[in-house]
Amino acid sequence: MYQIFSVYQPISTTEFNEKIAVLPSGYVDYLEKKYDVIEKSLALKLPIRLNDFKAIEAAILKNKAYNEFEKLAQLARKNYPKSMLADYELGQMYEKNGDNARAVKSYLAAFQREEIGDLTKDMMIERADELKKSLPKKGDKGKKGKEEPIVEETVPTDAPAETAPTATPAETPTETPPTENPLGSKK
């Protein structure tokens, strides 16, 4: 009886070590085949378990097959369309391949979706913020394109304080707070 339903079980440590981690590639294909067998042999159409996604993610990371994250993300979108899992997997792929700007966008997209398992909105923001630090600042020589607006938020805080006094006359009443004496007492 145990052997009949063994295919139905989540990916175990033994299965991971003996069947998945030793594969040179095709980790996501393995996962898809596992659930196809469940569907055909037991006539059950199940969403892929989150723990099985995590096992395949671990195999991808262990074997540095980062481009498989894209296929894993497609599978995640199909099984958990409202969750952050697919965007998280894409963020992993971009981050591991060195495309931090796209990784930040993926993690921020994940932030907009529902939490699932141990993936939280806080985790997505922390990852995005950490990667933002590695992006070139606006005005730096480096990558040009859509990545620059992501880091822009730190630039405007210094600029208005330096440019506003030179463009406006010193007699402007807008610099006087409403709580001070309007009769011209000294500051």
Side-chain angles (χ1 to χ4, degrees), residues 1-66:
M1 189 73 137
Y2 179 77
Q3 290 177 334
I4 295 172
F5 292 103
S6 65
V7 71
Y8 177 76
Q9 295 177 353
I11 295 172
S12 66
T13 306
T14 305
E15 182 180 6
F16 177 82
N17 290 329
E18 294 177 3
K19 295 182 180 178
I20 300 171
V22 296
L23 292 172
S25 63
Y27 310 105
V28 180
D29 293 335
Y30 179 91
L31 185 62
E32 287 178 309
K33 286 175 188 171
K34 177 178 176 74
Y35 280 83
D36 284 345
V37 169
I38 291 172
E39 184 177 355
K40 288 175 185 170
S41 64
L42 301 176
L44 290 173
K45 178 72 176 162
L46 299 173
I48 296 173
R49 294 176 188 98
L50 186 58
N51 286 341
D52 290 348
F53 272 103
K54 291 301 197 174
I56 298 303
E57 178 184 324
I60 290 170
L61 291 170
K62 180 179 181 178
N63 294 301
K64 298 179 181 172
Y66 305 132

Side-chain angles (χ1 to χ4, degrees), residues 36 92 124 153:
D36 284 345
Q92 287 269 83
M124 296 305 125
E153 60 195 349

